[in-house]
Amino acid sequence: MTKVAIVFHSGFGHTKVVAERVKAGAESVPGTHASLIPVEEIDAHWADLEAADAIVFGSPTYMGNVSGPFKMFMDASSKPWYERKWKDKLAAGFTISGSPSGDKLNTLQSLMIFAMQHGMVWVGIAELPQNDEGTNRLGSFSGVMAQAGQVSPDLEPNLEDRKSAERLGQRIATATARWAKVS
Ligand SMILES: Cc1cc2nc3c(=O)[nH]c(=O)nc-3n(C[C@H](O)[C@H](O)[C@H](O)COP(=O)(O)O)c2cc1C
């Protein structure tokens, strides 16, 4: 089994919906076990991250960047950073914001740089923007961008953004299986 861990923060539930779809997409790839780890529970899960083959990072965009609780997790990862525990694991990321842009690229860049600091290998998005399936609606190649207005997470992110998250889960799980064969 390849193991994909999804570490996320969600203040109001929208990022959690995206994280759940990433998990479902990853688990649709045979031989993959995926787990959701809220940053609030990270202290019980450092060993799970060390055991994972891939880690997907997810944060809402707050003030044009990762949320405060997600940044706390990033800073708390200095021990595995120093010990190179996540080196050569695959990584990917997702974010959601209220506006179509909302400065989400900055959040994804923060997640990417974080993964690079850990010596990880970043996996992006392959689908063309606004394809027949409707995925990659907001046209991002560095990670999933989703959007939700001031409505319940039951209503938004919309189906296309949820499907985009599933596609990322499938891609990271498939890439992880290939990576495990050669590393
Ligand atoms: C403190 C705070 C800052 C926010 N900053 C932004 C922002 O910079 N750009 C944006 O488009 N939306 C922003 N939003 C909206 C959130 O990104 C949006 O509601 C998102 O769906 C929240 O995800 P969550 O429910 O997982 O917390 C902000 C919301 C909060 C609470």
Side-chain angles (χ1 to χ4, degrees):
M1 288 292 256
T2 53
K3 296 193 195 94
V4 176
I6 301 151
V7 185
F8 71 98
H9 170 247
S10 185
F12 305 94
H14 302 88
T15 314
K16 182 164 184 266
V17 168
V18 183
E20 287 167 347
R21 297 330 301 163
V22 172
K23 179 175 187 278
E27 286 181 333
S28 73
V29 177
T32 305
H33 175 265
S35 58
L36 290 176
I37 303 175
V39 290
E40 295 87 344
E41 298 171 16
I42 195 64
D43 282 342
H45 292 285
W46 291 110
D48 295 330
L49 293 188
E50 193 179 324
D53 301 294
I55 308 175
V56 184
F57 303 110
S59 170
T61 292
Y62 285 178
M63 300 303 179
N65 212 323
V66 296
S67 64
F70 196 89
K71 185 65 166 71
M72 299 268 284
F73 154 70
M74 290 164 100
D75 292 357
S77 75
S78 58
K79 189 162 186 278
W81 172 86
Y82 185 72
E83 296 171 349
R84 303 280 81 193
K85 294 289 190 193
W86 302 350
K87 180 175 154 310
D88 292 338
K89 294 183 192 297
L90 298 195
F94 58 90
T95 188
I96 186 165
S97 76
S99 299
S101 164
D103 294 319
K104 283 191 277 279
L105 177 59
N106 196 50
T107 305
L108 289 177
Q109 285 176 327
S110 290
L111 298 178
M112 262 191 292
I113 290 169
F114 174 60
M116 298 304 167
Q117 288 240 347
H118 275 279
M120 303 175 85
V121 180
W122 190 259
V123 174
I125 305 300
E127 288 88 36
L128 288 172
Q130 298 133 25
N131 53 67
D132 290 346
E133 193 179 44
T135 61
N136 201 1
R137 179 172 69 94
L138 297 172
S140 167
F141 293 100
S142 44
V144 165
M145 288 186 180
Q147 183 199 355
Q150 304 272 348
V151 295
S152 157
D154 294 338
L155 301 174
E156 293 184 5
N158 69 14
L159 291 178
E160 286 81 8
D161 290 354
R162 291 173 197 230
K163 179 59 86 175
S164 301
E166 288 173 22
R167 288 280 173 252
L168 177 66
Q170 284 175 332
R171 183 155 206 243
I172 191 88
T174 305
T176 303
R178 291 175 69 180
W179 188 245
K181 277 189 205 153
V182 295
S183 62

